Amino acid sequence: MLGSAAQAASMHVEVAMANRILLAYSSRTGHTRKVAMDIASALDCDVEEIRDRVGRGGPLGYARSSLEAIARFDTLLAPTRHDPADYDLVVIGTPIWFWSLSSPVRTWVRRHRDDLRKVAFFCTCGSSGGQRALAEFEALCGEAVASLVLTDREIDSGAHAASVAAFVGQLSPRSRRTRGG
């Protein structure tokens, strides 16, 4: 009996660990934030907004964001509250800036890539660039267990709900696999 009690306790810890999910995202215009909140609500997970210390508003902010994306520059990040090393799965969301990861997300991923056990990726874009951004993301931190690309039009119209539900379904503990394994 002691053996089965220990096994049950071990399984409980394993299940609890499997549910440790962090959703980290950056959003300039609100589209990525909207999707992030939808995913976080469905997963009941911790959320970290990746913020940088650089102004992104207006035409100058847009130009700065575009230049950083094209040149693959890092940026200065504001302090964060969550340590991704404490999570079994980290879901990362970014807007697409000139067919690339946003510089706040790129900087955060570079900073934490050694702490990321399993990752899932979603991005929002005006019309294209999602697959290129996914390739950039996976080059930085390995294969994603799930990925999702949504256009701003899909988000604005509400047509993204089914895609978000399918993405969340791929993140259930039974469907997750370890990167590289």
Side-chain angles (χ1 to χ4, degrees):
M1 284 307 251
L2 187 57
S4 45
Q7 285 174 331
S10 173
M11 285 176 30
H12 176 69
V13 169
E14 188 176 320
V15 168
M17 289 295 293
N19 291 326
R20 295 279 305 162
I21 302 172
L22 173 65
L23 188 147
Y25 76 96
S26 180
S27 185
R28 183 176 175 274
T29 62
H31 289 102
T32 308
R33 178 178 296 109
K34 165 72 174 127
V35 175
M37 295 302 101
D38 291 347
I39 293 169
S41 177
L43 292 174
D44 190 26
C45 63
D46 292 336
V47 176
E48 182 78 60
E49 182 172 5
I50 302 168
R51 297 175 191 233
D52 63 355
R53 298 177 183 199
V54 177
R56 301 274 173 207
L60 184 59
Y62 179 83
R64 177 182 291 121
S65 300
S66 300
L67 175 64
E68 289 176 4
I70 292 166
R72 306 286 194 276
F73 289 156
D74 283 351
T75 188
L76 298 171
L77 295 180
T80 56
R81 297 176 299 136
H82 299 93
D83 181 352
D86 295 338
Y87 296 86
D88 290 309
L89 173 66
V90 178
V91 179
I92 302 170
T94 186
I96 300 303
W97 293 354
F98 273 75
W99 303 276
S100 302
L101 299 177
S102 66
S103 54
V105 168
R106 181 184 311 101
T107 303
W108 190 90
V109 167
R110 284 180 175 160
R111 181 177 294 170
H112 296 291
R113 66 179 153 206
D114 292 337
D115 298 327
L116 303 173
R117 296 178 194 157
K118 290 179 238 172
V119 292
F121 174 74
F122 71 94
C123 63
T124 62
C125 56
S127 62
S128 63
Q131 293 310 311
R132 181 174 163 185
L134 175 60
E136 181 183 355
F137 175 80
E138 289 187 334
L140 286 172
C141 63
E143 183 181 355
V145 298
S147 62
L148 174 64
V149 177
L150 293 169
T151 65
D152 296 349
R153 183 178 303 186
E154 289 173 300
I155 298 161
D156 289 340
S157 71
H160 69 292
S163 297
V164 167
F167 177 75
V168 167
Q170 292 177 344
L171 303 179
S172 69
R174 280 184 286 195
S175 67
R176 284 189 233 151
R177 63 185 186 279
T178 303
R179 287 189 299 157

